[in-house]
């Protein structure tokens, strides 16, 4: 019995409020404030990864969160941005030839707006085409490699800040930033190093000993107090650029930048969607409705599209802040609305205070957040499933480190395509045997061999021979009947190996009649029909007849568009049950011992053409 459909809000907006109870409001407000204490400082820190002023990270906590709350299906997902997206943004803006000037130049900010709007448009187009399930097929191994390359690149990029060096690089890739990190050791500021060590220690200690406390907020607050009252700025500690008070201004995208930003926007759109869906599923309560990929495409795409006109970093769901909201008891997206209001209040009233934030403190927040992306346990886990997946993860990591993160994402998508095609390119046919309960899968499928035994059935096949007792475990009936069943749908990618495997099984069993059970198919393409017709022709040339059974009624009209299938029906070779074929399939064939025949490519004797036997070249 099918599970009942998940309830949805009848008005379409704010689906997580469907069935909402006012008693949950207090819990959600507190969870929103708790999540905001992590989201706001972390988003500002992520803006520095993208080499943007910190206020653009703060702005990301406003409109995108409200838009996702109105459209998203996850109750606890926190929609701001992530270190992965920020790193890809940095790479994109560095590679844009039209961008020049300082980090907060008008050209750079308009390029950011263009990039974010493009990401939103791409995700919405994917939603219209209902590509949610397709996009999320990016393999776990690929994501593991991308995250590792992002984590290492971002971590190396924070070293100059933590040492107090004047030279910093963002978005230039792992190797240039690694060189900059080594050069930073010749330009060390002792006070900055001390502040960095204390900040890192506090982040790790609070996260492990008191995981419910907002470690980033505590560390950022401590850094601001040290800069305000400790006099560390007089000792060479650098502060963030001044933050303008107030809400973000409207920024119009520049269409001339769009062609240059399209590849980067595609990579960011893929990663934003994948991260958001993965986090939404991770923080989902078992009682909540399942996450709908197409609904998430709409929500994440709309969040970036709307937010792009305020020049925010493309929106994505982050695990750390979403986990905080989940632990705080989030029961709806009221949490995100509260967090967005908190960000607005910070921008309006606390901007002068944020001007005293040390860059080293934000660097420490970024370093701790991103090192978690390099998860050695995930690489080790891949070895227990398939070594090829481990090599894909390693290759994706290396491409991301040596050729840039955009190239890493592109390589990851191509490798995922390879994995999908590899998994599809597998035979979808299995041998059935006649057991006590009827036809069932045979544990021992016959293997291809060079010389079958005299009786026409191989010993190596695990099937009958003239000297053995047929029994209920045979893969054939003892009279040349071989029963096969499709395990799944046939597509262009797997029909050829399935046909080849079928021919191999027929040769191994020296079968004279083959029954193919096709109930697993509810759709068929012209390519599949052509391949099945070729199989029928090949079997007929070797004196074997093909029967189909289990054809779904809904599939028959589509199959009848083929002359081959109509002829199959006319010859009575489309039957309702396997047992019906046991009679229909044997009747035309006299015993092999009474009629001399010619040898086939499989080594079996085939009766010559005659009045009582089917022609070897009979029409199919």
């Amino acid at each position: 019995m099918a599970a009942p459909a998940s309830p949805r809000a009848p008005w379409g907006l704010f689906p997580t409020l469907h069935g909402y109870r006012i008693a949950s409001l207090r819990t959600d407000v507190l969870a929103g404030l708790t999540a905001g204490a992590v989201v706001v400082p972390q988003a500002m820190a992520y803006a520095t990864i993208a080499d943007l002023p910190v206020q653009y990270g703060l702005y990301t906590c406003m409109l995108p969160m409200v838009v996702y709350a109105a459209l998203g299906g996850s109750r606890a997902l926190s929609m701001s941005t992530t270190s992965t997206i920020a790193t890809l943004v940095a790479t994109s803006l560095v590679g844009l030839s039209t961008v020049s000037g300082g980090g907060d130049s008008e050209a750079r900010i308009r390029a950011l707006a263009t990039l974010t709007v493009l990401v939103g448009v791409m995700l919405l187009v994917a939603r219209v085409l209902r590509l949610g399930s397709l996009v999320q097929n990016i393999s776990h191994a690929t994501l593991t490699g991308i995250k590792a390359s992002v984590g290492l690149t971002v971590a190396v990029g924070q070293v100059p800040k933590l040492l107090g060096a004047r030279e910093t690089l963002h978005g230039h890739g792992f190797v240039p930033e690694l060189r900059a990190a080594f050069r930073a050791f010749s330009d060390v500021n002792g006070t900055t190093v001390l502040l960095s060590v204390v900040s890192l220690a506090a982040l790790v200690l609070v996260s492990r000993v008191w995981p419910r406390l907002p470690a980033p907020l505590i560390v950022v607050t401590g850094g601001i107090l040290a800069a305000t009252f400790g006099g560390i700025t007089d000792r060479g500690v650098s502060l963030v650029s001044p933050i303008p008070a107030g809400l973000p201004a409207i920024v119009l995208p520049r269409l001339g930048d769009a062609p240059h930003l399209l590849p980067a926007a595609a990579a960011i759109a893929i990663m934003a969607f994948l991260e958001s869906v993965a986090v939404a599923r991770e923080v989902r309560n078992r009682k909540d409705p399942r996450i709908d990929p197409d609904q998430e495409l709409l929500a994440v795409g709309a969040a970036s599209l709307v937010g792009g006109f305020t020049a925010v970093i493309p929106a994505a769901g982050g695990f750390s802040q979403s986990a905080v909201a989940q632990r705080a008891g989030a029961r709806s997206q009221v949490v995100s609305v509260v967090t967005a209001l908190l960000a607005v209040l910070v921008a309006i009233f606390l901007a002068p205070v944020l001007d005293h934030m040390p860059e080293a403190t934000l660097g420490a927040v970024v370093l701790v957040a991103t090192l978690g992306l390099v998860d050695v346990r995930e690489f080790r886990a891949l070895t227990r499933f398939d070594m090829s997946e481990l090599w894909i993860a390693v290759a994706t990591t290396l491409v991301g480190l040596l050729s840039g993160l955009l190239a890493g994402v592109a390589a990851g998508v191509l490798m995922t395509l390879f994995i999908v095609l590899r998994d599809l390119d597998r035979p979808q046919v299995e041998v059935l045997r006649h057991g006590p309960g009827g036809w069932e899968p045979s544990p021992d499928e016959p293997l291809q061999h060079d010389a079958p035994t005299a009786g026409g059935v191989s010993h190596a096949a695990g099937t009958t021979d003239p000297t053995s007792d047929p029994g209920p475990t045979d893969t054939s009936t003892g009279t040349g009947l071989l029963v096969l069943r499709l395990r799944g749908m046939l597509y262009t990618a797997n029909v050829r190996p399935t046909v080849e495997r079928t021919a191999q099984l027929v040769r191994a069993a020296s079968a004279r009649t083959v029954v193919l059970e096709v109930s697993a198919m509810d759709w068929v393409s012209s390519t599949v029909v052509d391949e099945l017709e070729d199989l029928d022709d090949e079997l007929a040339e070797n004196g074997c007849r093909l029967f189909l059974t289990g054809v779904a009624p809904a599939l028959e009209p589509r199959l009848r568009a083929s002359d081959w299938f109509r002829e199959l029906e006319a010859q009575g070779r489309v039957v309702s049950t396997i047992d019906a074929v046991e009679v229909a399939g044997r009747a035309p064939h006299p015993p092999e011992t009474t009629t001399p025949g010619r040898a086939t490519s499989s080594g079996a004797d085939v009766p010559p053409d005659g009045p009582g036997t089917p022609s070897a070249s009979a029409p199919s």
Side-chain angles (χ1 to χ4, degrees):
M1 180 177 178
S6 302
R8 295 288 181 189
W11 51 86
L13 294 178
F14 294 96
T16 62
L17 293 183
H18 181 59
Y20 190 72
R21 298 178 181 179
I22 297 299
S24 301
L25 183 60
R26 179 178 178 274
T27 301
D28 277 347
V29 170
L30 292 176
L33 294 173
T34 303
V38 174
V39 173
V40 171
Q42 198 161 279
M44 291 190 292
Y46 288 161
T48 65
I49 298 177
D51 201 18
L52 293 165
V54 295
Q55 65 263 28
Y56 290 97
L58 181 60
Y59 298 159
T60 307
C61 301
M62 298 179 186
L63 278 179
M65 281 199 161
V66 176
V67 172
Y68 183 85
L71 299 173
S74 172
R75 298 183 187 276
L77 182 69
S78 178
M79 178 64 57
S80 54
T81 192
T82 67
S83 57
T84 304
I85 303 302
T87 307
L88 291 172
V89 168
T91 304
S92 308
L93 297 183
V94 166
L96 184 63
S97 59
T98 58
V99 173
S100 60
D104 59 346
S105 67
E106 181 183 356
R108 188 176 182 83
I109 299 307
R110 290 190 67 183
L112 172 65
T114 305
L115 178 64
T116 305
V117 168
L118 282 176
V119 170
V121 169
M122 287 184 173
L123 289 172
L124 292 179
V125 169
R127 170 60 185 88
V128 172
L129 298 177
R130 303 186 68 84
L131 298 180
S133 298
L134 178 63
V135 176
Q136 67 176 348
N137 280 331
I138 301 293
S139 70
H140 176 70
T142 300
L143 289 178
T144 299
I146 292 174
K147 289 192 298 182
S149 60
V150 168
L152 291 172
T153 301
V154 173
V156 167
Q158 303 311 304
V159 172
K161 289 182 181 179
L162 298 176
L163 298 178
R166 296 181 181 87
E167 180 184 6
T168 58
L169 288 176
H170 294 284
H172 291 78
F174 178 76
V175 175
E177 293 187 13
L178 184 62
R179 295 195 190 107
F182 279 114
R183 288 195 297 268
F185 282 94
S186 62
D187 187 21
V188 174
N189 179 274
T191 306
T192 303
V193 172
L194 179 61
L195 176 63
S196 301
V197 171
V198 172
S199 299
L200 289 170
L203 284 167
V204 174
L205 181 65
V206 172
S207 299
R208 292 185 177 181
V209 180
W210 301 285
R212 291 185 176 274
L213 295 180
L217 177 63
I218 293 173
V219 170
V220 166
T221 302
I224 292 174
L225 292 175
T228 304
F229 304 107
I232 59 176
T233 55
D234 298 333
R235 300 179 183 178
V237 175
S238 300
L239 303 181
V240 299
S241 301
I243 300 174
L247 300 178
I250 299 298
V251 180
L252 296 179
R254 181 158 53 186
L255 296 180
D257 291 342
H260 304 283
L261 292 171
L262 278 175
I268 293 172
I270 291 173
M271 292 307 302
F273 171 69
L274 292 177
E275 284 193 297
S276 300
V277 170
V279 172
R281 287 177 172 167
E282 186 71 21
V283 300
R284 170 183 167 267
N285 189 295
R286 291 184 178 180
K287 297 180 181 179
D288 294 341
R290 290 190 174 275
I291 300 301
D292 180 358
D294 287 322
Q295 182 182 8
E296 296 306 296
L297 272 177
L298 172 64
V300 179
S304 284
L305 178 62
V306 174
F309 290 96
T310 58
V312 304
I313 301 172
F319 178 75
S320 58
Q321 55 264 40
S322 299
V324 170
Q326 182 191 41
R327 288 197 300 266
R331 298 177 184 177
S332 74
Q333 278 296 319
V334 169
V335 172
S336 292
V337 175
V338 172
T339 300
L341 290 175
L342 179 62
V344 169
L345 294 176
V346 170
I348 294 175
F349 299 108
L350 296 181
V353 176
L354 297 177
D355 289 345
H356 298 279
M357 191 185 311
E359 286 189 347
T361 301
L362 286 183
V365 172
V366 169
L367 182 64
V368 171
T370 55
L371 280 181
L373 296 176
V374 187
D375 194 339
V376 178
R377 292 173 299 178
E378 290 189 8
F379 284 89
R380 189 182 300 119
L382 291 175
T383 64
R384 295 197 292 267
F385 291 96
D386 188 347
M387 285 299 295
S388 64
E389 290 197 71
L390 173 65
W391 293 122
I392 287 173
V394 171
T396 304
T397 302
L398 292 177
V399 171
L401 293 177
L402 300 178
S403 301
L405 296 177
L406 294 180
V409 174
V413 172
L414 291 176
M415 289 180 187
T416 295
L417 179 61
F418 164 77
I419 293 175
V420 171
L421 292 178
R422 182 198 66 179
D423 291 342
L424 285 177
D425 188 22
R426 290 177 178 173
Q428 294 294 314
V429 66
E430 63 184 354
V431 178
L432 298 184
R433 66 177 182 178
H434 200 284
W439 294 95
E440 58 190 28
S442 172
D444 300 312
E445 291 188 359
L447 301 176
Q448 187 174 5
H449 55 79
D450 296 325
T453 55
V457 183
S458 168
H459 292 279
T463 57
T464 60
D465 63 64
T467 62
S468 65
D469 180 14
T473 60
D474 289 343
T475 56
S476 72
T477 62
T479 56
L481 174 64
L482 179 66
V483 180
L484 305 174
R485 179 173 66 187
L486 294 180
R487 287 191 292 255
M489 287 284 295
L490 293 183
Y491 305 93
T492 302
N494 65 10
V495 63
R496 170 48 52 183
T498 299
V499 165
E500 291 174 352
R501 177 61 175 163
T502 300
Q504 181 186 27
L505 292 171
V506 171
R507 290 193 299 269
S510 298
R512 307 291 300 282
T513 301
V514 176
V515 182
L516 184 60
E517 206 273 351
V518 296
S519 61
M521 295 185 62
D522 57 11
W523 185 87
V524 68
S525 68
S526 60
T527 302
V528 171
V529 173
D530 289 343
E531 291 289 348
L532 291 177
E533 182 177 1
D534 290 344
L535 171 66
D536 187 26
D537 290 341
E538 180 182 344
L539 295 180
E541 290 176 359
N542 289 281
C544 182
R545 303 186 75 197
L546 174 68
F547 286 76
L548 297 184
T549 186
V551 178
L555 195 61
E556 291 180 353
R558 192 174 185 89
L559 286 171
R560 289 194 182 106
S562 162
D563 294 337
W564 164 73
F565 185 78
R566 292 198 301 271
E567 189 173 351
L568 220 62
E569 286 186 310
Q571 295 177 2
R573 291 196 284 148
V574 179
V575 295
S576 57
T577 64
I578 297 174
D579 293 331
V581 184
E582 290 197 66
V583 176
R586 290 186 235 170
H589 299 282
E592 292 181 87
T593 55
T594 61
T595 306
R598 55 181 176 80
T600 69
S601 60
S602 65
D605 288 337
V606 179
D609 298 343
T613 60
S615 170
S617 58
S620 59

